[in-house]
Amino acid sequence: MSGSKPRYPLADFKVGVDNVIFSVDTDQNRLLVLLVMRQQEPYRDCWCLPGTLVRQGESLEDAAYRILAEKIRVKNLYLEQLYTFGEVGRDPREAPNSYGTRYLSVSYFALVRFPEAELIADRVSGIAWYPLKQVPQLAFDHNRILEYGHRRLCNKLEYSPVAFDVLPESFTLSDLYQLYATVLGENFSDYSNFRTKLLKLGFLSDTGEKVSKGAGRPASLYRFDAEAFAPFKNKPLVFI
Amino acid sequence: MSGSKPRYPLADFKVGVDNVIFSVDTDQNRLLVLLVMRQQEPYRDCWCLPGTLVRQGESLEDAAYRILAEKIRVKNLYLEQLYTFGEVGRDPREAPNSYGTRYLSVSYFALVRFPEAELIADRVSGIAWYPLKQVPQLAFDHNRILEYGHRRLCNKLEYSPVAFDVLPESFTLSDLYQLYATVLGENFSDYSNFRTKLLKLGFLSDTGEKVSKGAGRPASLYRFDAEAFAPFKNKPLVFI
DNA sequence: ACAAAAGTGTTGCTGGTACACCCATGT
DNA sequence: ACATGGGTGTACCAGCAACACTTTTGT
């Protein structure tokens, strides 16, 4: 932001914020992404990530929270910036000679709890949780953004406790295991070793309640104990 | 980027790119950051990160490479996007009522080889490698950006081979060790264990050449073998 | 001869992997 | 009774931390 002489004309930008919002359906063990249907050109009637253009007086993060709140009601969520996409021509609204306004997309990555998240349908546009594997062709470069978000999710899972932002407040250890398995793919770890390791860490507290899933012994419900996790904060903990 | 009605006026942006460029002086074991002196208002005569505003027809990355090339000549470098800062009022050029043009900063993180990097002094502005510990107050929110970049560097060092983008082409194992020690702080590992571990991984090839550093036995020069590293790519390898 | 820096080897322990096994429930 | 899913225990082995030791140089 220093030193360039204005001999070369600067580009003018509108800035969009696009959210990759994940949740997990623990009953069906599916990783879900929130998609909305565009109601305007360009890409009218195409599915896309929920996004918006940044308004006057609004920070990037404000904008990210705004669309999120327009689309779903949640009690709890995790949100962080993902990446900024700014190639010339990534948005068809840019004039073909690229001398007009450019459109930048700052993407955000969010995790919400599936059972607690109420979708807000405004009776005009479509909105839906899509299983990641069934996501169709999206508007703009949103498939790429989504892919980027998915990679981030995989990484985050391994070394930070984001899992507990996607799982319901209380959950069984199989829920947790299944979450890792659905996101990271099978055979990332043996179930019983996974149990022992996590319990030994000591930030999962047994609620005493049990829950039955069909046949078989009922499972204990656990809760994530943020207090007990504190010492691990910023440590290069690996969850595997 | 969908669905908002233009009832609320959108913000107009100029987009800046700011680079956090690190290198390491292996002789003095110092981590260095490239700073330049601003020649214009605002913050005239303040040190800041080398940056520029994005021009018409130029991608973010193009802009990042452009300033880099304006400030230093390098053969080899590592560059990746860092973070995007877009709070209202982060740049004093924004009108106080925040209804004028906003200034966004997309920051990039770069590593270059100190001995190979020639600074380009344009006889007007100052430019200098600053030891990280001695960085003064910078213009804008650049101290914050720098801090963010430093955290990224620490993380990257641990699980990816970026070290070899900062070190010279061939280096001794102490150089490598010292690099980790200066960036990550002392006592991150025992020297001899560090040696054994890295050599066992097998992607450091001995060049046969030796080099003496004062008294003591001369050290072997090693070279990073990208071929041999390939299998580790994308694996959650930890270097410690 | 001695200090300094590079490089090798040994040993004990931690913690992960791969299982085998026991427990509680539905049908 | 037995299938199903939850939960515990054990035995082996890789890999790492700690530290003692050897080698090669400069002075």
Side-chain angles (χ1 to χ4, degrees), chain A residues 41-177:
Chain A
E41 294 298 341
Y43 293 106
R44 188 196 196 92
D45 299 328
C46 255
W47 289 101
C48 70
L49 298 173
T52 187
L53 290 168
V54 177
R55 295 175 182 169
Q56 290 180 5
E58 186 180 52
S59 77
L60 299 174
E61 219 175 284
D62 288 347
Y65 279 113
R66 176 163 57 79
I67 358 145
L68 211 138
E70 272 175 21
K71 302 300 177 188
I72 46 179
R73 259 184 286 274
V74 278
K75 285 188 233 167
N76 190 299
L77 93 159
Y78 176 85
L79 187 130
E80 70 170 32
Q81 199 186 97
L82 193 57
Y83 199 78
T84 299
F85 298 86
E87 292 76 50
V88 178
R90 61 168 292 281
D91 190 308
R93 286 169 290 191
E94 295 178 8
N97 55 16
S98 83
Y99 275 21
T101 304
R102 295 263 295 276
Y103 285 82
L104 202 84
S105 164
V106 180
S107 53
Y108 279 78
F109 165 76
L111 301 175
V112 301
R113 291 182 178 148
F114 181 62
E116 294 175 7
E118 282 179 61
L119 298 193
I120 301 172
D122 56 4
R123 85 186 175 292
V124 183
S125 65
I127 178 166
W129 286 115
Y130 259 83
L132 190 64
K133 324 225 172 215
Q134 294 162 37
V135 167
Q137 181 76 30
L138 303 178
F140 307 104
D141 48 0
H142 286 194
N143 286 95
R144 195 170 144 222
I145 299 180
L146 173 55
E147 193 191 327
Y148 205 93
H150 184 225
R151 271 210 300 279
R152 178 83 125 245
L153 175 62
C154 295
N155 293 334
K156 279 266 150 185
L157 265 191
E158 290 182 14
Y159 59 81
S160 85
V162 284
F164 311 108
D165 291 299
V166 226
L167 285 176
E169 187 73 30
S170 56
F171 49 86
T172 70
L173 283 172
S174 327
D175 284 343
L176 185 58
Y177 180 75

Side-chain angles (χ1 to χ4, degrees), chain B residues 67-81:
Chain B
I67 358 147
L68 211 138
E70 272 175 20
K71 303 299 178 187
I72 47 179
R73 261 184 286 274
V74 279
K75 285 188 232 166
N76 190 301
L77 94 159
Y78 176 85
L79 187 130
E80 71 170 32
Q81 200 186 95

Side-chain angles (χ1 to χ4, degrees), chain B residues 176-205:
Chain B
L176 185 58
Y177 179 75
Q178 292 300 342
L179 165 59
Y180 276 84
T182 39
V183 178
L184 265 39
E186 309 300 321
N187 60 21
F188 71 99
S189 169
D190 178 90
Y191 173 65
S192 60
N193 292 328
F194 177 81
R195 278 186 59 83
T196 348
K197 179 166 183 182
L198 272 168
L199 288 177
K200 198 167 45 182
L201 289 171
F203 50 74
L204 295 183
S205 53

Side-chain angles (χ1 to χ4, degrees), chain B residues 18-23 31-35 47-50 82-83 85 105 107-110 130-154:
Chain B
D18 294 301
N19 285 357
V20 183
I21 306 172
F22 286 115
S23 73
L31 176 60
L32 304 168
V33 195
L34 190 65
L35 297 181
W47 289 100
C48 70
L49 298 173
L82 193 55
Y83 198 78
F85 297 86
S105 164
S107 53
Y108 279 78
F109 166 76
Y130 258 82
L132 191 64
K133 323 224 171 217
Q134 293 162 38
V135 167
Q137 182 76 30
L138 302 178
F140 306 104
D141 48 1
H142 286 192
N143 287 95
R144 195 172 143 220
I145 299 179
L146 173 55
E147 192 192 327
Y148 204 93
H150 182 227
R151 272 210 299 280
R152 179 83 124 244
L153 174 62
C154 294

Side-chain angles (χ1 to χ4, degrees), chain A residues 187-199:
Chain A
N187 59 20
F188 70 98
S189 170
D190 178 88
Y191 173 65
S192 61
N193 293 328
F194 178 81
R195 280 186 58 84
T196 347
K197 179 167 183 183
L198 272 169
L199 289 176

Side-chain angles (χ1 to χ4, degrees), chain A residues 1-5 8-18 36 38-40 48 50-60 66 81 83-88 90-91 93 98-99 102-106 140 158 236, chain B residues 1-5 8-18 36 38-40 48 50-60 66 81 83-88 90-91 93 98-99 102-106 140 158 236:
Chain A
M1 232 127 158
S2 78
S4 71
K5 297 164 202 88
Y8 300 92
L10 301 178
D12 286 304
F13 288 88
K14 300 288 186 198
V15 174
V17 165
D18 294 301
V36 297
R38 279 186 66 81
Q39 326 176 46
Q40 299 137 315
C48 70
T52 187
L53 290 168
V54 177
R55 295 175 182 169
Q56 290 180 5
E58 186 180 52
S59 77
L60 299 174
R66 176 163 57 79
Q81 199 186 97
Y83 199 78
T84 299
F85 298 86
E87 292 76 50
V88 178
R90 61 168 292 281
D91 190 308
R93 286 169 290 191
S98 83
Y99 275 21
R102 295 263 295 276
Y103 285 82
L104 202 84
S105 164
V106 180
F140 307 104
E158 290 182 14
Chain B
M1 233 129 156
S2 78
S4 72
K5 295 163 203 89
Y8 300 91
L10 301 179
D12 286 303
F13 287 89
K14 299 290 185 197
V15 174
V17 165
D18 294 301
V36 298
R38 280 186 65 81
Q39 326 176 46
Q40 299 137 317
C48 70
T52 186
L53 290 167
V54 177
R55 296 174 181 169
Q56 290 180 5
E58 185 180 53
S59 78
L60 300 174
R66 175 164 56 80
Q81 200 186 95
Y83 198 78
T84 298
F85 297 86
E87 292 77 48
V88 177
R90 61 167 292 282
D91 190 307
R93 287 169 291 190
S98 83
Y99 275 23
R102 295 262 295 274
Y103 285 82
L104 201 84
S105 164
V106 181
F140 306 104
E158 290 183 14

